[in-house]
């Protein structure tokens, strides 16, 4: 049995899986903020999973962790996890010492890519496009996570598609993230509501011109990410995940509409059949936690 932990800014999703990724138990708990609290959250999650399956912690083969931020491949060191108030943390080494089992750490989106591959019986090359507060992707080929030389493979959110566009938090202009990230869309809409992107979609459905324009912009930004992933890694499937996918088919329709527009003006783009490559991750599925467990199994590649 292997443990997978998806440590997010507000909650931690924890699972126990078999060696082939079948889910045995799942639980959620609130994530603490700051380095010490993140470690304690992880230890508590593993302890509670141990109790749930009636096995001692040292009976687990491995613990895999998916967490926001930059992870130096193979080190277990987390840096710049800003929404957890963590600037630098040797998470892998600390947890391995505390738990007495091997620990592997990966960026949460890349871990989710592995989980999506597992849940959707992936084949060939799959790209997991996370549309959440930010935009990023994880790429899996033949069941192995592709890291690139320094771990930044898949950071499509910071590809500039409009050099004259809005300033991005990374310092560039017109990044995909300025168009399709939940944070950017919410800021542009400006509504003081609990779910601003949902509110925007509702207003667009009612014919609000500004909402229609912002929704179309979101669709074009996400469609740009889909084209980038297709033209760079020729992904067979592009699976959409992240907080915005709570909109379900409403989001998918907007993205497919933007993809159809680009195909209508280009026989080359039309030949790629982009609309057929895009689908949603199953609602409510613990893709990131299951993927983290697979990270613990060593499912990655630096090629």
């Amino acid at each position: 049995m292997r443990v997978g932990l998806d440590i997010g800014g507000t909650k931690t999703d924890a699972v126990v899986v078999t060696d082939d990724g079948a889910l045995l138990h799942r639980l959620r708990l609130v994530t603490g903020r700051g380095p010490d609290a993140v470690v304690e959250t992880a230890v508590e999650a593993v302890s509670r999973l141990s109790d749930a399956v009636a096995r001692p912690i040292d009976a687990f083969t491995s613990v895999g962790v998916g967490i926001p931020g930059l992870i130096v491949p193979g080190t277990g060191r987390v840096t710049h996890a800003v929404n957890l108030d963590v600037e630098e943390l040797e998470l892998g080494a600390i947890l391995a010492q505390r738990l007495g089992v091997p620990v592997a750490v990966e960026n949460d989106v890349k871990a989710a890519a592995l989980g999506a591959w597992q849940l959707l019986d992936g084949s060939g090359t799959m790209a997991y496009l996370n549309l959440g507060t930010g935009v990023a992707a994880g790429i899996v080929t033949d069941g192995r996570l592709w890291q690139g030389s320094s771990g930044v493979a898949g950071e499509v959110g910071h590809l500039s598609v409009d050099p004259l566009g809005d300033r991005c938090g990374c310092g560039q202009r017109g990044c995909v993230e300025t168009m399709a990230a939940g944070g950017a869309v919410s800021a542009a809409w400006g509504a003081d509501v609990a779910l601003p992107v949902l509110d925007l979609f509702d207003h667009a459905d009612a014919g609000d011109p500004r909402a229609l324009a912002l929704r179309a912009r979101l669709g074009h930004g996400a469609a740009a990410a889909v084209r980038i992933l297709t033209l760079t890694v020729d992904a067979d499937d592009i699976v959409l995940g992240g907080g915005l996918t709570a909109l379900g088919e409403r989001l998918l329709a907007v993205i497919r509409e933007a993809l159809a527009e680009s195909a209508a003006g280009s026989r080359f783009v039309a030949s790629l059949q982009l609309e057929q490559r895009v689908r949603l991750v199953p609602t409510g599925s613990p893709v990131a936690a299951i993927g983290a467990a697979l990270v613990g199994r060593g499912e990655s590649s630096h090629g």
Side-chain angles (χ1 to χ4, degrees):
M1 291 188 290
R2 299 181 185 273
V3 169
L5 306 178
D6 172 28
I7 301 178
T10 57
K11 56 88 181 171
T12 291
D13 201 5
V15 299
V16 176
V17 302
T18 62
D19 198 51
D20 60 2
L23 181 63
L24 297 177
H25 190 78
R26 179 186 187 186
L27 60 84
R28 294 182 181 184
L29 63 162
V30 175
T31 303
R33 298 182 68 86
D36 293 341
V38 166
V39 170
E40 293 307 321
T41 298
V43 171
E44 180 186 354
V46 176
S47 177
R48 289 175 58 177
L49 288 172
S50 170
D51 292 341
V53 297
R55 296 285 293 274
I57 291 174
D58 60 10
F60 293 134
T61 309
S62 64
V63 172
V65 181
I67 188 169
L70 300 177
I71 288 80
V72 179
T75 68
R77 183 187 309 120
V78 182
T79 61
H80 308 303
V82 292
N83 62 344
L84 289 168
D85 293 335
V86 171
E87 182 56 34
E88 185 170 347
L89 176 62
E90 295 284 353
L91 184 60
I94 293 170
L95 286 181
Q97 183 179 39
R98 291 281 300 273
L99 299 172
V101 296
V103 176
V105 182
E106 184 53 85
N107 171 266
D108 57 343
V109 174
K110 290 181 171 63
L114 279 175
W117 172 280
Q118 177 74 28
L119 287 170
L120 298 174
D121 297 322
S123 61
T125 298
M126 172 187 285
Y128 174 85
L129 178 59
N130 189 82
L131 301 173
T133 303
V135 175
I139 300 160
V140 182
T141 300
D142 296 329
R144 295 184 68 80
L145 183 64
W146 183 47
Q147 296 276 16
S149 62
S150 61
V152 300
E155 289 292 340
V156 295
H158 294 298
L159 277 167
S160 174
V161 293
D162 180 6
L164 301 179
D166 293 342
R167 180 75 69 181
C168 180
C170 75
Q172 301 183 96
R173 286 193 177 274
C175 290
V176 167
E177 196 162 286
T178 66
M179 303 170 67
V185 174
S186 297
W189 180 233
D192 186 16
V193 294
L195 300 170
V197 181
L198 175 61
D199 185 63
L200 182 151
F201 268 64
D202 288 343
H203 277 76
D205 288 343
D208 183 312
R210 192 167 74 90
L212 284 166
L214 286 172
R215 186 175 68 177
R217 188 167 183 261
L218 188 165
H220 282 100
V226 170
R227 287 194 299 274
I228 289 164
L229 290 166
T230 301
L231 292 170
T232 52
V233 298
D234 197 17
D236 302 277
D237 294 294
I238 298 173
V239 181
L240 306 179
L244 293 190
T245 58
L247 290 159
E249 292 296 326
R250 299 171 73 186
L251 176 69
L252 192 59
V254 170
I255 296 171
R256 283 181 169 160
E257 181 179 353
L259 291 170
E261 286 181 24
S262 64
S266 167
R267 292 175 63 184
F268 168 65
V269 174
S271 72
L272 300 175
Q273 298 183 309
L274 298 176
E275 294 173 74
Q276 285 71 49
R277 300 190 191 215
V278 180
R279 54 176 164 161
L280 295 168
V281 74
T283 303
S285 55
V287 288
I290 288 176
L294 297 177
V295 167
R297 201 172 68 182
E299 303 296 306
S300 63
S301 172
H302 302 288

